[in-house]
């Protein structure tokens, strides 16, 4: 199982993001795993293709293209996929998370949100 490292410009140990909301897109190979980690910011995980899995304590969330997974700040989690998946993370600075759910949850992704994420994915990095 390949161990994957988030390709971020900010270390996971950093208390803040360089901007309030940050987008990252990646292709994870089959059987890829992001080992147990946490960060000070919230994360919305979405999969354009394939299924991303997120394990939190004794809960197991699935993110196929019609759902996303919200992870509040400072939550230990593992990301994995059984087959290749093109996914993204929308990182949300802790200062913006107070009105978002305080516990992890699966979220239905509307066609508008899907289109916005796809638009972000098409943009050059930065």
């Amino acid at each position: 199982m390949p161990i994957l490292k988030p390709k971020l410009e900010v270390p996971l140990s950093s208390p803040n993001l360089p901007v309030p909301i940050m987008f990252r897109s990646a292709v994870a190979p089959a059987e890829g795993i992001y080992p147990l980690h946490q960060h000070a910011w919230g994360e919305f995980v979405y999969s354009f293709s394939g299924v991303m899995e997120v394990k939190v304590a004794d809960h197991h969330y699935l993110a196929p293209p019609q759902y996303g997974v919200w992870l509040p700040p400072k939550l230990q989690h593992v990301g994995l996929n059984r087959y290749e998946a093109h996914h993204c993370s929308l990182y949300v600075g802790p200062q913006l998370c107070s009105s978002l759910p305080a516990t992890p949850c699966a979220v239905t992704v509307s066609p508008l949100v899907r289109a916005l994420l796809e638009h972000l994915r098409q943009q050059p990095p930065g």
Side-chain angles (χ1 to χ4, degrees), residues 7-10 17-26 41-48 86-93 113-126:
K7 296 173 183 127
L8 293 175
E9 314 233 336
V10 57
L17 294 168
V19 292
I21 299 176
M22 206 166 97
F23 178 83
R24 177 184 76 85
S25 178
W41 53 84
E43 179 180 8
F44 177 73
V45 178
Y46 175 74
S47 184
F48 296 100
H86 191 158
H87 66 96
C88 70
S89 291
L90 193 64
Y91 299 110
V92 181
V113 170
R114 238 185 321 268
L116 290 168
L117 293 170
E118 183 62 42
H119 175 75
L120 289 171
R121 177 169 78 147
Q122 301 303 319
Q123 302 308 304

Side-chain angles (χ1 to χ4, degrees), residues 34-53:
Y34 293 101
L36 184 67
H37 66 283
Q38 69 178 23
H39 28 77
W41 53 84
E43 179 180 8
F44 177 73
V45 178
Y46 175 74
S47 184
F48 296 100
S49 65
V51 177
M52 287 302 295
E53 300 178 40

Side-chain angles (χ1 to χ4, degrees), residues 44-46 61-62 64 66-70 101 105-110:
F44 177 73
V45 178
Y46 175 74
Y61 297 92
L62 299 177
Q66 57 271 50
Y67 294 98
V69 176
W70 167 249
C105 58
V107 179
T108 302
V109 176
S110 71

Side-chain angles (χ1 to χ4, degrees), residues 58-87:
D58 53 352
H59 290 85
H60 192 138
Y61 297 92
L62 299 177
Q66 57 271 50
Y67 294 98
V69 176
W70 167 249
L71 303 167
K74 300 179 182 174
L75 182 75
Q76 286 195 332
H77 58 282
V78 173
L80 60 116
N81 52 292
R82 298 176 196 283
Y83 303 98
E84 181 176 282
H86 191 158
H87 66 96

